Amino acid sequence: MRRPRILVIGAGLAGTATALRLLQFARMPLEIVLLERRAEYRYAGVAYHRDGNPWGHVFNIQAGRMSAFREDVDDFVHWANNEADRRQWPEPWTDFEFVEHGPAPRRIYHDYLADRMTEARREAYPDVDLVEAEGEAIDLTVSDHHVEVTIRDANGTDAERTSTLITDHVVLATGLEPKWPAFAVDVLAHEAFIQHPYSTEGVHRLLTVPPQANVVIVGTVLSAYDSAALLLRQGHTGTIHLVSRSGTTPRAYPEHHQHGVVQLPVPARLLEPYRNRDDFLARLRTEWEAACATVRADHPEIDPMVVSERVAKAWEPHLPMIIDRIPTDELRRLLDDYSTRIAAFRVGAVRYTTAIVEQVMAAENGPVEIVIGRVERVEPAGSERLAVTVAAPTTTRVITADLVVCNFGRETDYTQVDSPLWKNLLAKDLVTPHRRTGRGIEVDDRGTPLRPDGEPVTLLSAIGVMREGDEIVRNGRAGAFAFNLAAIKNHSIVVAAHLLARLELDSDDAARRAVAERRRALAADASTRPELEEAVSLEVRRLATRSRDERRRLDERLEAHLLSMDSRRASRPDGTHGRLTRAAVNQAAVERLTDISVTPRQLRRRLRIVTDEDAEIS
């Protein structure tokens, strides 16, 4: 009898995080296949692969928030300072001491994830293995008990050569999907147009453009700043035009900034019935200003630069109720018009990225200009140059450029994604575009895709950016979702634990209801609450432990504890009762590990997995 197999499609950040958790959590034999169509994206994806990230490209957020493990907040910084192989690193990074609030180059994240994958494979239980596969999944056929996956050859020798893989479950972790720049359809192949600035070719062209060149960058937020900073660090003197509809620019974190969460009351006026956009925005502005004033008054220790972030985070638990009152068409328009500004409120950037751009913008006759308006078209202008037409509310301007960099973002509407896999998933009703927001797909609380009639496709799971719409309406995460590491960390925990529970229970909807009922019964019985609390605590520590020997010890303690619990109560002779109890305990532990109402460091203290370093910081 073959062991169960889980296929993860996509080996970027989301897929890698899920594979790590599967290796870490699995207690029974399991084969995990991690499929990637582009070798350079394995353990990196678009955001972190080496060739698309020169050493000057640093994480947008602080290094201390880049751990792959939410319950081990210092892991990335510890790795960078103590484990990373720096022999090929250039100055100033060779002897750089990484700190929680400081910068770190994006390109080293590949090495970090690769090292953590090596560790996870070494520390996995016997017969729990990872298989690294190359190829592009282009179609799925889902039956009652397995999924047949059609994979196109990735070697480049025969684009139409395909193979078939049978698997028990598929995790969709396909990452960012590029957005088609309709305004530039006539110049996509032009030498002066960069459609993908994080590609190997895109970075090369940015690095080799003449220093006096006139450059237009479509976008004004973090990815645009990456391109502008790259040019400025190599001595660019020509004008750099940053163009966007809102003119929103990134907010820099203050030095020594630490992530935090404050508690604020429900913005009551936003719970009133939705009347129209002007009325809603007026109420929003009033509540926002009041909330910011409250944070400034009650928390004078919070730097003014991060007050907006604290308010945005504090409002997230209330946003689902607020969003529920907004009509669908209007909600979509609001997200389209304000998502960039929401993202700027919600997440800042390290000064390493913003300082060089802000410095030249502040200088008289500096080379960086913010242009507010919508890019209508980009077309050839002769002499190998391009003409960029920008429409503002009252004027239209044409900028002649030697280079145009398209930081146009990603495609959020999956009906427009140019991918054979997603086209087939939609055609077969295996996924449904998110109804309320039009962003991503419909999923349940475990990340299971839903068919148009609402039926879950139980042999599929989704993780990462395709869950943006669900995160907005379910958890109030309304900004900066493209590289939202925090969401991906939680997705990976929930999906991995859910899949393994399904395999262990051979579960269906009936089993899931039985687990839920078992959990309610345990929680309702006052005599079992202390025992249940101890069981959940043990399971939290087991899930958070990366050492196989320590996991085994915790596993044995938990099994003995659960056996003691069930021995004092009537249990079914086939052991089903015990398995349901274990599944119920696992669910409760997963909920605690993914609690977004606190910071990761606060979570460690709450879960009693505090280290000496945590104690010093607190």
Side-chain angles (χ1 to χ4, degrees), residues 303-572:
D303 191 285
M305 289 297 294
V306 297
V307 167
S308 64
E309 180 173 310
R310 293 290 196 271
V311 173
K313 174 63 179 175
W315 275 12
E316 282 183 357
H318 314 311
L319 284 181
M321 293 186 296
I322 296 168
I323 289 170
D324 189 54
R325 287 156 171 77
I326 303 175
T328 294
D329 289 346
E330 186 60 19
L331 174 61
R332 292 188 179 197
R333 285 191 289 268
L334 286 167
L335 290 171
D336 288 342
D337 292 345
Y338 293 101
S339 60
T340 298
R341 276 171 274 194
I342 294 170
F345 281 135
R346 181 63 183 84
V347 177
V350 293
R351 289 195 178 276
Y352 185 93
T353 297
T354 62
I356 189 169
V357 181
E358 291 172 349
Q359 181 179 354
V360 297
M361 282 199 296
E364 186 176 357
N365 299 318
V368 175
E369 176 193 15
I370 299 294
V371 180
I372 299 176
R374 178 174 57 86
V375 176
E376 282 194 336
R377 61 185 176 276
V378 182
E379 55 194 350
S383 302
E384 300 182 349
R385 306 181 84 194
L386 295 174
V388 182
T389 301
V390 181
T394 58
T395 63
T396 297
R397 176 180 176 185
V398 178
I399 306 171
T400 302
D402 300 294
L403 185 70
V404 176
V405 184
C406 183
N407 283 285
F408 192 45
R410 60 196 169 83
E411 183 58 73
T412 58
D413 180 355
Y414 277 65
T415 65
Q416 301 301 312
V417 168
D418 186 23
S419 155
L421 176 62
W422 282 101
K423 288 178 179 178
N424 286 324
L425 290 171
L426 287 162
K428 294 180 175 182
D429 288 340
L430 294 174
V431 298
T432 307
H434 197 262
R435 292 186 174 90
R436 287 281 281 138
T437 66
R439 295 169 177 245
I441 61 172
E442 294 280 352
V443 295
D444 68 9
D445 60 336
R446 309 286 177 83
T448 304
L450 304 178
R451 295 182 185 272
D453 62 2
E455 177 190 356
V457 185
T458 56
L459 300 188
L460 303 184
S461 296
I463 178 170
V465 292
M466 75 270 305
R467 290 172 59 174
E468 177 180 8
D470 183 75
E471 283 287 331
I472 291 171
V473 301
R474 188 186 301 276
N475 295 319
R477 292 183 184 268
F481 202 84
F483 301 113
N484 195 315
L485 181 58
I488 288 174
K489 290 177 191 179
N490 277 0
H491 291 177
S492 66
I493 293 171
V494 173
V495 166
H498 173 57
L499 299 192
L500 295 172
R502 282 192 72 256
L503 292 174
E504 290 184 12
L505 283 171
D506 192 23
S507 68
D508 51 18
D509 287 344
R512 181 174 176 174
R513 289 192 294 271
V515 171
E517 179 56 37
R518 179 64 178 144
R519 186 176 172 186
R520 282 192 294 270
L522 289 168
D525 186 348
S527 66
T528 65
R529 285 175 196 161
E531 295 174 315
L532 177 62
E533 179 61 31
E534 176 64 18
V536 173
S537 178
L538 287 169
E539 179 69 348
V540 164
R541 290 162 59 192
R542 184 189 76 85
L543 294 175
T545 298
R546 304 210 301 269
S547 162
R548 175 169 57 189
D549 290 342
E550 180 62 18
R551 269 201 315 274
R552 184 176 284 118
R553 284 192 289 270
L554 289 166
D555 223 349
E556 290 171 353
R557 285 181 59 188
L558 179 57
E559 286 294 334
H561 183 74
L562 294 176
L563 183 63
S564 175
M565 285 178 62
D566 280 338
S567 67
R568 293 192 293 275
R569 294 163 181 83
S571 297
R572 290 168 56 176

Side-chain angles (χ1 to χ4, degrees), residues 85-133:
D85 182 355
R86 301 194 186 195
R87 286 175 294 179
Q88 302 299 318
W89 292 15
E91 295 291 345
W93 306 110
T94 307
D95 302 312
F96 192 86
E97 181 179 358
F98 295 92
V99 294
E100 178 181 3
H101 56 268
R106 281 188 207 155
R107 60 182 292 128
I108 70 174
Y109 208 57
H110 169 275
D111 296 333
Y112 166 65
L113 291 177
D115 283 358
R116 288 298 173 257
M117 187 65 79
T118 298
E119 174 192 70
R121 296 171 84 166
R122 182 182 67 244
E123 297 296 326
Y125 276 13
D127 215 20
V128 175
D129 297 314
L130 177 75
V131 176
E132 296 179 343

Side-chain angles (χ1 to χ4, degrees), residues 101-311:
H101 56 268
R106 281 188 207 155
R107 60 182 292 128
I108 70 174
Y109 208 57
H110 169 275
D111 296 333
Y112 166 65
L113 291 177
D115 283 358
R116 288 298 173 257
M117 187 65 79
T118 298
E119 174 192 70
R121 296 171 84 166
R122 182 182 67 244
E123 297 296 326
Y125 276 13
D127 215 20
V128 175
D129 297 314
L130 177 75
V131 176
E132 296 179 343
E134 292 187 3
E136 179 184 9
I138 59 174
D139 198 8
L140 305 181
T141 301
V142 178
S143 67
D144 290 341
H145 302 292
H146 69 267
V147 183
E148 182 178 305
V149 185
T150 303
I151 301 172
R152 184 157 58 194
D153 181 57
N155 295 325
T157 55
D158 184 357
E160 298 307 316
R161 180 180 170 188
T162 62
S163 59
T164 299
L165 181 73
I166 306 298
T167 184
D168 298 281
H169 199 96
V170 170
V171 178
L172 301 169
T174 52
L176 304 177
E177 300 292 345
K179 192 177 185 70
W180 179 256
F183 56 79
V185 66
D186 295 329
V187 298
L188 295 179
H190 198 287
E191 280 296 315
F193 186 80
I194 299 177
Q195 184 178 357
H196 304 297
Y198 291 103
S199 67
T200 304
E201 180 186 2
V203 168
H204 173 73
R205 288 160 73 184
L206 280 166
L207 290 172
T208 56
V209 67
Q212 71 280 7
N214 196 40
V215 178
V216 170
I217 298 176
V218 181
T220 58
V221 286
L222 293 172
S223 57
Y225 265 49
D226 279 341
S227 298
L230 181 59
L231 292 170
L232 293 169
R233 286 197 177 93
Q234 57 188 1
H236 196 86
T237 56
T239 303
I240 302 171
H241 310 269
L242 302 175
V243 186
S244 75
R245 291 186 300 170
S246 67
T248 302
T249 57
R251 168 180 51 83
Y253 285 119
E255 192 174 3
H256 305 299
H257 169 72
Q258 284 193 352
H259 184 45
V261 178
V262 299
Q263 302 299 316
L264 291 173
V266 178
R269 294 195 64 192
L270 297 184
L271 296 180
E272 296 173 9
Y274 190 89
R275 289 178 279 274
N276 56 63
R277 175 183 288 213
D278 289 343
D279 171 77
F280 176 76
L281 292 178
R283 288 186 282 124
L284 174 61
R285 191 175 299 109
T286 299
E287 289 282 8
W288 180 266
E289 291 172 354
C292 289
T294 298
V295 172
R296 285 191 290 267
D298 294 350
H299 301 277
E301 74 282 2
I302 294 178
D303 191 285
M305 289 297 294
V306 297
V307 167
S308 64
E309 180 173 310
R310 293 290 196 271
V311 173

